[in-house]
Amino acid sequence: MTDTDSESGGTATESLGVSIPDEHVGAFVAEAFEDVERDTTWEEVVDALVAPEARDAWADLPPTERVVEVLSAAADYDRRAADRLAAIPTDRGRPTPEIREEFDEATRCRRNADRFRDGVAAAYADGVVDDDELVAAVERAGFDTAVIAEREDELDRVASAYDFEFRPYGGTLMHDGDDEEGENPMEDFEAW
């Protein structure tokens, strides 16, 4: 026997799908990519991703292809973060310097992935890509939420084991009140 949800009359194992009108899909995707605690611009992402000597070739790419490249780089960072975190043992009692270094590198990869997607949201908001171009780019890049979920599970596992601090995904619930006003959130943005 399955449990029913008394409010909707559905079962606990049913998934609820919500249709999004075609004309709003781009805005919905951009909002999902947006990180409300960051203000990443498309130009910052391009500067971090594209070497100066490749800028002419980049400019020749259609907007959809540029977004595909950024989303593919973000997916690579997600995978790297998840793999690094999965390799960290949590049975050591206290973190070694090597564990701390791996954790820091994994969170750098995570930060880059999230900022790249935030930059894509900015590109949409600024008209660099339209609805159709953004949706096509997401479909071609193969955006994989399962990798992000794995990354976040591994992050929580390691952080809990060693009492490391981290900002939760979409981290609007936790905010460090000691942040200096005017601090540039892109200062530690290193894509390599």
Side-chain angles (χ1 to χ4, degrees), residues 138-180:
V138 170
E139 288 173 351
R140 286 193 41 215
F143 179 60
D144 189 356
T145 57
V147 175
I148 296 172
E150 177 188 347
R151 178 194 82 175
E152 293 304 293
D153 288 345
E154 290 296 337
L155 179 67
D156 185 54
R157 179 185 66 85
V158 174
S160 295
Y162 297 117
D163 200 27
F164 289 156
E165 291 184 9
F166 72 97
R167 183 177 155 268
Y169 187 68
T172 57
L173 298 178
M174 297 176 72
H175 178 71
D176 183 358
D178 297 331
D179 286 349
E180 296 291 324

Side-chain angles (χ1 to χ4, degrees), residues 85-126:
L85 290 163
I88 297 175
T90 55
D91 59 353
R92 305 294 160 92
R94 299 179 68 104
T96 64
E98 293 79 16
I99 287 173
R100 184 69 216 200
E101 185 177 312
E102 280 299 298
F103 182 81
D104 289 345
E105 179 60 16
T107 55
R108 183 192 68 80
C109 289
R110 175 183 185 251
R111 200 170 40 247
N112 285 348
D114 293 345
R115 286 184 172 155
F116 276 15
R117 281 187 289 271
D118 190 44
V120 168
Y124 176 79
D126 294 343

Side-chain angles (χ1 to χ4, degrees), residues 14 16-17 25 53 61 79 86 91 104 176 179 187:
E14 290 179 6
L16 175 62
V25 172
E53 61 272 13
L61 292 175
R79 174 53 43 211
D91 59 353
D104 289 345
D176 183 358
D179 286 349
E187 280 179 7

